[in-house]
Amino acid sequence: MPLGSRGRGAAPTLGSSTRGQSSGARALVACLVVSVALFTLSCQTGEAGPLGAVRGAFQTVTMPVRLLGSAVSAPLRGLGNIFSNLTADQATLSDLQGEVDELRARNAELEEGAGEADRLRKLLDLQDTSQLTSTGAHIISGSTDSWSSTVTIDKGSSSGLTAGMPVTASSGVIGQVVSCGATSSTVRLLSDEGSSISAMVQSTRAQGMVQGSATGEVTLELVRTSEQVSVGDVIVTSGLGGVFPKGLPIGEVASVESSPGDLYLTIVVDLYADPSRVEEVLVITSLTEEQQASAEDIAEADQQERGDAAASGDGSDDTTDEGGAGASSDGGGTDAE
């Protein structure tokens, strides 16, 4: 009996397990059937169907929870990125620094190229606008002594340059060639005390000479006190003497002074071109007839000289004629010096 009792007791246990497994299988099959049916219905009805409405309602209800989860997880992701950067090996950091240095060098190279292209474009614009017959050159060094103001350019006699040729930057006149080698030339700057070129006030056409000095100050000389000159007036080349083309910008009036009894104004000029900041220049190799002073310009300069002679009390015809000739040719002789 005990054995039989144990046998009968064990049989219901095995039957219950079998029935449980069958029920689970049926439930799984039912879920699969329902899922397939729902999927088929969703494909047929799209978002406009009942399932789309249910899905939309579910997303609306759960939206705050999802937003809260995203806000909480964002700082954690940031901390993870920071931790990854801090734990990057030295080789990776070295590679990244190398890439940064390379990009910086490349950026500096591009900026330098863009600056040079802009400067050359301005020179070409000046060449075209003023119709200059010229050749381009680079400034390669400054003065080699302390008592002169000169620069050296990388073009010489082999490029057709000769002493006396004018030199200009895009912003204004630089100076004049004073000596030439085969592949380089020395340019005397306008600020040098030995420099003197014919010039005029652009607005009033008052003639004078732009003169350098030992201190580097540049002045406009030989302008009578009867002339109207104001601070800010533009000074340009006059074309007298046939060396510098007429109308090239030089600078502007920085100050004007006149004392009782003076024949001439004291005019200080600020030059437009700063040789210490100029790299490319144009050397003007020849002038056209239109670029030289006209007969009217020469007559006006002669008349100004006659006025100067009369104001100084020298009224002889011979002296007046010499003064007039000097006004029309001094610019050329002095410029080419």
Side-chain angles (χ1 to χ4, degrees):
M1 288 298 295
L3 292 174
S5 299
R6 286 196 296 271
R8 287 192 298 271
T13 302
L14 292 174
S16 298
S17 176
T18 302
R19 287 194 299 271
Q21 290 177 355
S22 299
S23 298
R26 285 194 296 272
L28 178 61
V29 171
C31 288
L32 290 175
V33 171
V34 171
S35 297
V36 171
L38 291 175
F39 177 76
T40 304
L41 180 61
S42 176
C43 291
Q44 290 176 349
T45 61
E47 294 296 330
L51 292 180
V54 172
R55 183 164 49 250
F58 179 78
Q59 290 177 347
T60 302
V61 171
T62 58
M63 178 64 71
V65 178
R66 286 184 292 153
L67 292 177
L68 179 61
S70 177
V72 172
S73 63
L76 298 178
R77 289 196 300 270
L79 290 175
N81 293 334
I82 293 174
F83 181 76
S84 299
N85 292 334
L86 291 176
T87 56
D89 56 38
Q90 188 60 41
T92 301
L93 294 177
S94 298
D95 291 342
L96 291 175
Q97 185 61 49
E99 292 179 6
V100 170
D101 293 340
E102 183 178 351
L103 290 173
R104 285 175 177 171
R106 180 59 176 164
N107 184 59
E109 181 181 348
L110 291 174
E111 288 185 355
E112 182 65 21
E116 182 178 6
D118 183 60
R119 295 192 301 271
L120 292 175
R121 179 187 58 77
K122 290 179 180 178
L123 280 178
L124 289 174
D125 289 344
L126 174 65
Q127 188 179 46
D128 293 340
T129 302
S130 301
Q131 297 181 341
L132 301 176
T133 303
S134 59
T135 183
H138 288 83
I139 294 178
I140 56 178
S141 67
S143 300
T144 57
D145 55 64
S146 59
W147 58 86
S148 65
S149 298
T150 60
V151 293
T152 302
I153 59 176
D154 63 351
K155 294 288 180 67
S157 56
S158 61
S159 300
L161 272 58
T162 60
M165 288 181 172
V167 180
T168 184
S170 59
S171 54
V173 174
I174 290 288
Q176 194 170 8
V177 175
V178 291
S179 64
C180 292
T183 58
S184 65
S185 300
T186 300
V187 178
R188 177 189 290 157
L189 302 177
L190 295 184
S191 57
D192 187 272
E193 63 179 329
S195 174
S196 182
I197 68 172
S198 301
M200 64 181 175
V201 181
Q202 189 177 48
S203 57
T204 64
R205 320 308 283 179
Q207 305 282 342
M209 301 292 292
V210 168
Q211 177 71 51
S213 66
T215 62
E217 184 178 72
V218 179
T219 56
L220 181 63
E221 305 287 339
L222 303 179
V223 178
R224 292 178 295 167
T225 55
S226 60
E227 297 287 350
Q228 294 295 319
V229 181
S230 303
V231 173
D233 283 349
V234 176
I235 308 302
V236 298
T237 52
S238 65
L240 291 173
V243 176
F244 277 81
K246 180 180 177 180
L248 287 182
I250 295 176
E252 63 181 40
V253 175
S255 66
V256 183
E257 296 181 4
S258 177
S259 300
D262 287 348
L263 295 178
Y264 304 108
L265 296 172
T266 302
I267 304 172
V268 177
V269 178
D270 276 342
L271 299 177
Y272 284 144
D274 181 359
S276 65
R277 298 179 179 275
V278 172
E279 298 180 41
E280 299 88 8
V281 296
L282 288 178
V283 182
I284 301 168
T285 54
S286 64
L287 303 184
T288 63
E289 184 176 349
E290 292 78 13
Q291 292 169 336
Q292 301 181 38
S294 64
E296 291 77 9
D297 295 327
I298 296 174
E300 186 175 348
D302 288 343
Q303 183 178 1
Q304 181 173 317
E305 287 293 329
R306 292 189 184 95
D308 294 340
S312 64
D314 187 350
S316 66
D317 291 339
D318 290 342
T319 304
T320 301
D321 289 340
E322 289 174 1
S328 61
S329 61
D330 267 357
T334 308
D335 292 345
E337 182 178 321

